[in-house]
Amino acid sequence: MRRTVFNEDHEAFRETIRAFIEAEVVPHYDEWFQQGIVPRELYTKLADLGLFGINVPEEFGGAGLETHKFEAIQYEETARAGVNFGGSGVHVLLALPYIKMLATDEQKKRYLPKFVAAEEMWALAMTEPGTGSDLAGMKTTAKLSDDGTHYVLNGSKTFITGGVHADRVIVCARTSAPTAEDRRFGISLFAVDTKSEGYSLGRKLDKLGLRTSDTAELAFSDVKVPVADLLGEENKGFYYLGQNLPSERWGIAYGAYAQARAAVRFAQQYVQERTVFGKTVASFQNTKFELAACQAEVDAAEAVADRALEALDAGELTAAEAASAKLFCTEVAHRVIDRCLQLHGGYGYMNEYPIARLYADNRVNRIYGGTNEVMKSIIAKSMGL
């Protein structure tokens, strides 16, 4: 089936990204994997390629486009090579929409040129140690000072992807107590400078997968946040978070589909080279049937992911559609990657093979951005159930 989602410009971009990955990432990736983090210099190189400015208005140094198709190609190409770009996905896919949606003109002038140039890397801090997915239960507070010039931020966050390299973090904090009618009321968003006094970076967390994507704990002790760094209106943070969840879940869905596609490629290459009982593994009927079944699932996931991409670019992707795409693509990836690892035999369990790393990386897709159980609830609600 011929895909129609990408045009010649997108394919030219694909060639550029593929060449960059082969020259600048693959030769160093094993070292980064062992260190558990990509070097900060990688972000500067990505910025030089223009990756951080694609969806940023031209007046702030970007390309001024309104599309996620270039991000989609990055998902496909990094998965194809068995690598990732660290926390840069959070910088673009998660943080940028909040800046564009909520920042004032003055804030955009301060934030966006540095964002595009990777002079300031951004992260998003929502989750807390004791609340998990229950964002309305967050305990981090931001109290306005008596003179009204700044907020005093106190609390902690965990599972913050990109947190080690971050220069600014969009922190969700309580500025007012919840009401009896709405426990989600009272949350606000702040663009916090990580160099602020009282801001501290905790552990870089030791994850099962996505090891080169730094994930950290953060703590705030009487951090003074200027009122000029409040994003949007006070107490409306939960509403703002909900506005951007469909794009976040699309990103997880697309990334999962790309991983499944890459897994089939890795397995096909392996079984054609590996011999058992004097024959290539690829020559056995079971191998052919397994890979054929995996390819059929990938084809279906590709159609779902592409459809969600077109809807997102058109501004029409609903919460239920995004949940459905995430649920389907991540479950497909789970099944396909497991079967492709099985075809590798014992070597599939070795981290020197990309399928092993892919297996670990993929597992979180059914957890973050809202667990797949939550996705089922959203879909069921949309069905009137």
Side-chain angles (χ1 to χ4, degrees):
M1 293 179 287
R2 186 175 65 88
R3 298 176 80 185
T4 59
V5 69
F6 300 124
N7 61 29
E8 292 181 358
D9 290 338
H10 299 127
E11 295 305 330
F13 176 79
R14 184 189 301 279
E15 292 180 10
T16 299
I17 287 294
R18 187 173 295 182
F20 174 85
I21 290 172
E22 291 175 354
E24 300 289 346
V25 180
V26 171
H28 312 291
Y29 198 73
D30 286 346
E31 178 184 352
W32 300 347
F33 182 83
Q34 295 301 324
Q35 294 173 346
I37 194 169
V38 301
R40 177 60 186 261
E41 294 74 34
L42 174 64
Y43 297 150
T44 302
K45 292 178 180 180
L46 294 174
D48 290 341
L49 276 181
L51 299 194
F52 296 160
I54 292 172
N55 292 331
V56 173
E58 293 183 42
E59 62 187 296
F60 303 115
L65 303 179
E66 290 292 341
T67 177
H68 289 80
K69 292 184 179 181
F70 295 99
E71 292 169 43
I73 290 171
Q74 291 178 60
Y75 283 126
E76 291 184 344
E77 292 304 309
T78 51
R80 178 183 182 275
V83 303
N84 69 59
F85 290 157
S88 64
V90 171
H91 184 68
V92 174
L93 184 64
L94 299 190
L96 181 58
Y98 289 103
I99 302 172
K100 292 175 65 177
M101 177 175 68
L102 302 176
T104 64
D105 289 341
E106 184 276 331
Q107 287 174 323
K108 289 177 181 177
K109 290 176 183 177
R110 283 195 290 125
Y111 300 152
L112 287 176
K114 293 180 180 180
F115 180 101
V116 170
E119 293 174 11
E120 283 189 349
M121 293 299 296
W122 288 61
L124 179 64
M126 295 189 289
T127 306
E128 296 184 358
T131 59
S133 298
D134 181 20
L135 297 181
M138 69 176 60
K139 305 298 183 184
T140 298
T141 60
K143 297 183 179 180
L144 188 63
S145 62
D146 292 339
D147 61 7
T149 61
H150 63 272
Y151 292 85
V152 180
L153 182 66
N154 283 285
S156 62
K157 300 289 181 178
T158 193
F159 304 149
I160 310 307
T161 302
V164 175
H165 282 318
D167 302 288
R168 277 195 184 268
V169 178
I170 299 175
V171 177
C172 310
R174 281 213 163 273
T175 44
S176 297
T179 66
E181 297 78 20
D182 186 4
R183 62 190 296 265
R184 297 173 296 181
F185 173 81
I187 295 171
S188 301
L189 307 184
F190 300 90
V192 179
D193 187 336
T194 63
K195 297 185 296 296
S196 302
E197 184 177 352
Y199 179 103
S200 60
L201 176 64
R203 295 183 300 155
K204 180 173 76 67
L205 299 174
D206 185 15
K207 305 191 300 294
L208 169 67
L210 296 176
R211 296 188 64 84
T212 58
S213 180
D214 55 295
T215 301
E217 295 175 329
L218 309 178
F220 320 107
S221 179
D222 293 334
V223 177
K224 293 182 178 179
V225 183
V227 293
D229 286 327
L230 170 69
L231 285 175
E233 297 181 32
E234 249 193 25
N235 303 321
K236 293 185 65 175
F238 202 96
Y239 167 77
Y240 299 142
L241 295 173
Q243 293 293 103
N244 284 323
L245 280 175
S247 63
E248 178 182 353
R249 288 167 179 163
W250 164 80
I252 296 169
Y254 214 95
Y257 141 70
Q259 289 175 326
R261 177 178 172 179
V264 172
R265 176 174 178 267
F266 296 146
Q268 186 171 351
Q269 289 176 335
Y270 179 82
V271 299
Q272 289 172 332
E273 297 168 358
R274 175 71 169 162
T275 58
V276 179
F277 306 123
K279 300 167 61 177
T280 64
V281 176
S283 66
F284 292 92
Q285 186 181 63
N286 179 69
T287 303
K288 296 175 182 178
F289 282 8
E290 282 292 285
L291 282 176
C294 287
Q295 183 61 54
E297 290 218 71
V298 170
D299 287 344
E302 180 183 274
V304 170
D306 283 354
R307 185 182 69 176
L309 172 57
E310 295 283 27
L312 181 63
D313 270 12
E316 298 172 353
L317 184 65
T318 67
E321 289 169 343
S324 179
K326 178 185 185 292
L327 176 64
F328 183 78
C329 291
T330 58
E331 294 291 346
V332 164
H334 163 64
R335 293 191 296 269
V336 167
I337 294 170
D338 184 74
R339 294 167 84 172
C340 288
L341 187 150
Q342 187 73 16
L343 289 172
H344 282 71
Y347 288 105
Y349 205 64
M350 301 297 114
N351 273 327
E352 63 186 278
Y353 282 79
I355 191 67
R357 300 180 184 183
L358 196 57
Y359 184 86
D361 289 351
N362 172 260
R363 185 58 184 89
V364 76
N365 289 333
R366 291 182 287 150
I367 298 173
Y368 67 0
T371 65
N372 279 11
E373 289 73 25
V374 171
M375 298 304 101
K376 292 174 184 177
S377 296
I378 294 170
I379 298 166
K381 185 177 180 180
S382 75
M383 297 168 66
L385 300 175

